[in-house]
Amino acid sequence: MGTMNELINPSVVATLSGILRQAASAIDLKQPLPLTELEATATALDELSLRQRSDLLSAALISDLHSAAPLGDLHNAAPVSDPPGGYSTAAAIFRRALDDEAFAGWMMWPVTETVTTLALADASSAAFDDALALLAELTPRLTSEFAIRRLLEHNLERALTVIEPWTTHPNEHVRRLASEGTRSFLPWAIRVRALVQNPRATAPILNALRADDSEYVRRSVANHLNDLARIAPTLVTDLAGEWMTDPRPHDAWVIRHGLRTLIKKGDPAALALLGFDPVEVTVTTPQLVSETVGLPGELEFAVEITNTSSVAGNIAVDYVVHYRKANGQQAPKVFKLTTATLQPGQSVKVRKRHAFRQMTTRVHYPGVHGLEVQVNGQRHGATSFHLGESAPGELPIAP
C-alpha cells in the first residue's frame, strides 16, 4: 500500500501496545490490560487504508479494554461506577500514557477515536464533557480534529460550550482544534449536519482566533472561513467586513485566504472587500502554444488584458479549465493567476503553464477541454484544446 497508509504500521502497533500496557499497570486496575486484540492487528494491516487501519486499531483496543476491571475516576480523584472497559477506565489509561513522550504521532488517531466511541457509549454528560477535555489534552500529540466530529454531531450546542473557551488556551494545538475541528467541510472527516445547518454557530470561535499569535491557528481560521463561504457567503463577507473596520495584525492575509473561493466564484461583495471593484477591460482570447496537449503534459497559454476605463483599476485574474468528464460533459474549475493595478489604457500580458497529470484526486479524460480567463469575476475569451496521448504540436505565441 502507499506510504501514507504506512503511517500506522506494525511498529506503531507494538509501540502503542507497550505504552498502554505500562500506563495500565501504573493505575488501579484489578488485572493487567491484555491488549491481545490490539497486538493482533499488526498482521492485518497490509491491504487497509490509513483510515481503515485506525478504525481496526480502535475496535481492537475497545475489545481489550472490555477485559479490564473497573477503577475509580483518577482524573477527578473520585470513585465512579464504570463497567469493565468503560469510558473512565480508558480515560485514566490514556491520561497516564501522556507521561510517555513516545505516546504521539499516528498511533493517536485510533486512541482519540476510542475516546469518542466510549464516551458516546457511556451516554452521560460527564463522559461527554470529559471526552472533549481529554481530546484537548491529546491533540498536541496528534490532532483530535477527526475524533471530535462525532461529539459535535451528537450534541453541537453542548460541545461548543466546552470548545469555545479553548480559544484562549495557552497551547496553539488546542486553539487550532477549536477552529479546525468545527469546520463545516473538514477533509477526511465526517460531515456534522448541525454545523452545515447553523453556520453562525462557530462565528464566536473565528472572531476570537482571527488575530491569534500562531500562523498555524490563523491558517485554520482562514480555511474555516472558506468552508463557510460554500454555504453562507453573506455571513462570510459580513464577518470579513466587520474585521476590516477594526483591523488586527494578519487580518489582511486571513481575509484574503478565507475569501478565495468567493473570489473565484466572482462574488461581488468579496471582490469589493479586497478592492476589486468592477472595471472596464478588454481581454484577448487565450493564445495557446499547442491546441493539443499530451497526457501527461502542459497547456501553455498567454492572454492580454487592457484597462479601457478612464480610471485606474485593480484586477484579480483567474483562469477556468473546463475539464472533460467521463460522460463527455465538461465541468469548470477556477485557478488563481495574478493580480494587478492597471492605469487607464494600460495593458498587461500574462502567461501560464497548466499541468495535466493523472492523480488520485483528479482523473483526466482525453478529449476536448475548454479554457477561459476570468477578470474580477467576469469570464472572457473562451477557447478549446484537445487533451490526449499524442505529442503536442506547437503554435507560436506573439511576444
Side-chain angles (χ1 to χ4, degrees):
M1 300 293 285
T3 302
M4 193 162 197
N5 296 331
E6 294 299 325
L7 291 169
I8 296 178
N9 56 46
S11 176
V12 169
V13 173
T15 302
L16 176 60
S17 299
I19 291 170
L20 295 181
R21 182 174 284 108
Q22 181 65 31
S25 68
I27 61 178
D28 189 22
L29 285 176
K30 295 182 179 178
Q31 62 186 40
L33 184 64
L35 294 177
T36 53
E37 294 290 334
L38 179 61
E39 291 172 335
T41 64
T43 61
L45 300 176
D46 286 348
E47 301 302 319
L48 301 181
S49 68
L50 183 62
R51 175 90 216 196
Q52 290 170 328
R53 293 180 186 209
S54 175
D55 291 344
L56 178 65
L57 266 63
S58 179
L61 181 53
I62 290 170
S63 179
D64 285 330
L65 284 164
H66 282 311
S67 300
L71 75 165
D73 185 340
L74 301 185
H75 182 57
N76 295 316
V80 296
S81 175
D82 189 15
Y87 172 76
S88 63
T89 301
I93 293 171
F94 296 154
R95 283 190 167 100
R96 183 57 62 93
L98 282 168
D99 293 340
D100 191 331
E101 293 183 357
F103 190 48
W106 285 95
M107 70 176 66
M108 303 304 297
W109 193 3
V111 169
T112 56
E113 293 291 350
T114 298
V115 169
T116 297
T117 298
L118 292 177
L120 292 175
D122 184 287
S124 70
S125 297
F128 185 91
D129 293 351
D130 189 69
L132 287 166
L134 179 53
L135 290 176
E137 295 170 46
L138 295 171
T139 204
R141 304 297 180 91
L142 181 79
T143 179
S144 298
E145 66 196 61
F146 308 124
I148 206 173
R149 305 289 284 186
R150 286 186 287 143
L151 296 170
L152 291 166
E153 176 71 10
H154 183 75
N155 190 332
L156 179 63
E157 184 177 1
R158 187 176 189 93
L160 289 178
T161 299
V162 177
I163 291 169
E164 285 181 22
W166 294 351
T167 59
T168 60
H169 197 280
N171 189 293
E172 66 174 353
H173 295 278
V174 179
R175 299 196 305 274
R176 178 185 179 271
L177 181 61
S179 170
E180 195 73 4
T182 59
R183 284 176 56 180
S184 302
F185 302 103
L186 180 65
W188 286 20
I190 67 166
R191 189 69 44 82
V192 178
R193 291 167 293 182
L195 286 174
V196 176
Q197 294 163 0
N198 183 17
R200 291 187 176 276
T202 57
I205 293 173
L206 301 183
N207 282 324
L209 293 176
R210 70 184 239 228
D212 195 272
D213 291 338
S214 168
E215 180 183 355
Y216 181 54
V217 177
R218 296 194 305 271
R219 182 172 294 276
S220 176
V221 171
N223 288 333
H224 190 137
L225 199 66
N226 190 56
D227 277 4
L228 289 177
R230 295 170 56 179
I231 53 176
T234 301
L235 168 63
V236 169
T237 53
D238 285 349
L239 279 174
E242 291 172 8
W243 297 352
M244 293 175 73
T245 62
D246 179 24
R248 310 280 178 81
H250 312 294
D251 268 355
W253 182 91
V254 172
I255 292 171
R256 186 171 64 252
H257 198 62
L259 296 182
R260 64 189 186 275
T261 293
L262 291 181
I263 295 298
K264 288 181 179 181
K265 289 182 176 180
D267 182 272
L271 286 163
L273 282 170
L274 297 187
F276 299 113
D277 294 313
V279 59
E280 295 178 11
V281 296
T282 59
V283 183
T284 62
T285 299
Q287 292 181 287
L288 308 181
V289 168
S290 171
E291 293 178 342
T292 302
V293 179
L295 183 61
E298 290 183 332
L299 173 71
E300 185 175 357
F301 65 92
V303 65
E304 187 172 50
I305 305 162
T306 303
N307 180 2
T308 58
S309 70
S310 60
V311 295
N314 297 320
I315 59 171
V317 186
D318 305 315
Y319 65 100
V320 187
V321 177
H322 294 265
Y323 288 98
R324 180 184 176 90
K325 300 192 295 184
N327 63 4
Q329 301 297 311
Q330 291 185 345
K333 182 172 177 58
V334 182
F335 297 89
K336 298 303 296 179
L337 192 48
T338 190
T339 60
T341 299
L342 297 182
Q343 299 301 317
Q346 184 180 4
S347 299
V348 63
K349 177 166 278 189
V350 183
R351 299 174 183 269
K352 178 66 179 180
R353 291 181 177 179
H354 182 86
F356 289 87
R357 302 282 189 277
Q358 296 292 20
M359 300 177 292
T360 56
T361 54
R362 181 178 296 280
V363 177
H364 296 291
Y365 297 96
V368 176
H369 290 53
L371 176 68
E372 290 179 295
V373 173
Q374 180 171 292
V375 180
N376 289 9
Q378 301 299 310
R379 294 184 182 181
H380 305 263
T383 190
S384 61
F385 61 95
H386 187 276
L387 181 69
E389 300 294 342
S390 58
E394 292 191 352
L395 298 174
I397 282 187

